[in-house]
Amino acid sequence: MGPMSTSASPSTEEQLHEHRRRLLQAMAAVAEAKGFVGSTIADIVREAGVSKRTFYEHFASKEDCFLALYLAVSAAALRTLKEAVAPERPWQQQVEQAMAAYLSHLSLNPGLLKTLFVDIHHLGETGNEARREVMRQLADFMVVTVHGHGPRPGFSDMDRALAMAAVGGINELLLQRIEQGQAQDLTPLTASASEVVRRLMRAVSP
């Protein structure tokens, strides 16, 4: 008998990927229907059509699964934001175009959006750190957009502080609209969200 391979076969890797995808989709469906607190692992595996053993092969807990879902949804929204940038335009127009795409993307699943934005706070410091990391990535995007390839020397600290302030303001606008039951259409926030960025970043823009 030859030496045992230590790597998974392609078919096994594909199956693992498929199981993880189904579990995240199930977490989204169950959390949207019951909220994070009301969801159970039994609900998730039943929705995904897999066993609890399979669940624990991918996630340590319900919280771990929800966190993975939050990060996956956030990453997809950030990709949409970055792909909408038109570098040949002035940064003010780039911000507005990217904001429109970002808000439109978030509106695609209003029920899930409400759950993610509100229930991430149930994860304590782990959830707070994930939320802050997403905010930092948004802030970095703003800095790069304003300055082309990055902040000018001497302005990086101010850039990041103002960009984080802009992201915080935009998040509050989002939460307000979500709480008002209008998460299905966030695009009316485009103008105000873009103006928040323009006003805060104007002091350090080239």
Side-chain angles (χ1 to χ4, degrees):
M1 178 181 291
M4 183 178 293
S5 172
T6 58
S7 62
S9 65
S11 59
T12 302
E13 289 178 357
E14 290 171 4
Q15 187 178 45
L16 288 170
H17 178 75
E18 174 62 15
H19 284 165
R20 182 180 175 84
R21 184 187 67 80
R22 285 163 59 181
L23 284 165
L24 289 176
Q25 287 184 335
M27 179 79 257
V30 173
E32 183 177 351
K34 295 187 172 185
F36 171 75
V37 174
S39 303
T40 66
I41 291 176
D43 293 328
I44 298 165
V45 298
R46 183 167 52 250
E47 179 73 21
V50 301
S51 66
K52 282 190 177 181
R53 178 179 178 179
T54 298
F55 177 91
Y56 285 113
E57 287 175 352
H58 294 274
F59 305 107
S61 62
K62 178 182 76 170
E63 289 78 8
D64 188 31
C65 185
F66 187 81
L67 180 64
L69 174 65
Y70 176 84
L71 292 174
V73 171
S74 298
L78 284 167
R79 281 196 301 272
T80 297
L81 181 80
K82 293 175 181 178
E83 289 169 359
V85 170
E88 70 280 1
R89 296 184 177 181
W91 70 264
Q92 294 90 340
Q93 292 180 21
Q94 291 183 53
V95 166
E96 185 156 4
Q97 183 173 340
M99 274 291 134
Y102 178 70
L103 294 170
S104 179
H105 179 94
L106 291 179
S107 299
L108 292 176
N109 196 331
L112 177 60
L113 179 67
K114 180 178 180 180
T115 299
L116 290 172
F117 262 74
V118 175
D119 287 355
I120 189 63
H121 296 283
H122 290 298
L123 271 62
E125 184 54 33
T126 300
N128 288 336
E129 178 53 36
R131 185 174 55 83
R132 284 192 292 266
E133 176 57 29
V134 171
M135 291 177 68
R136 281 193 290 268
Q137 291 180 37
L138 278 167
D140 287 346
F141 161 80
M142 291 178 186
V143 171
V144 171
T145 301
V146 170
H147 295 285
H149 298 289
R152 293 175 295 174
F155 284 86
S156 60
D157 289 343
M158 181 65 74
D159 283 340
R160 290 190 176 90
L162 291 176
M164 281 294 285
V167 172
I170 291 167
N171 274 357
E172 284 303 309
L173 290 173
L174 284 168
L175 280 170
Q176 184 180 58
R177 196 159 180 89
I178 289 169
E179 290 168 355
Q180 292 171 345
Q182 298 176 319
Q184 73 280 2
D185 185 13
L186 299 173
T187 53
L189 294 178
T190 299
S192 54
S194 301
E195 186 62 19
V196 167
V197 177
R198 282 194 292 266
R199 290 195 182 194
L200 285 174
M201 300 301 288
R202 187 171 293 144
V204 293
S205 63

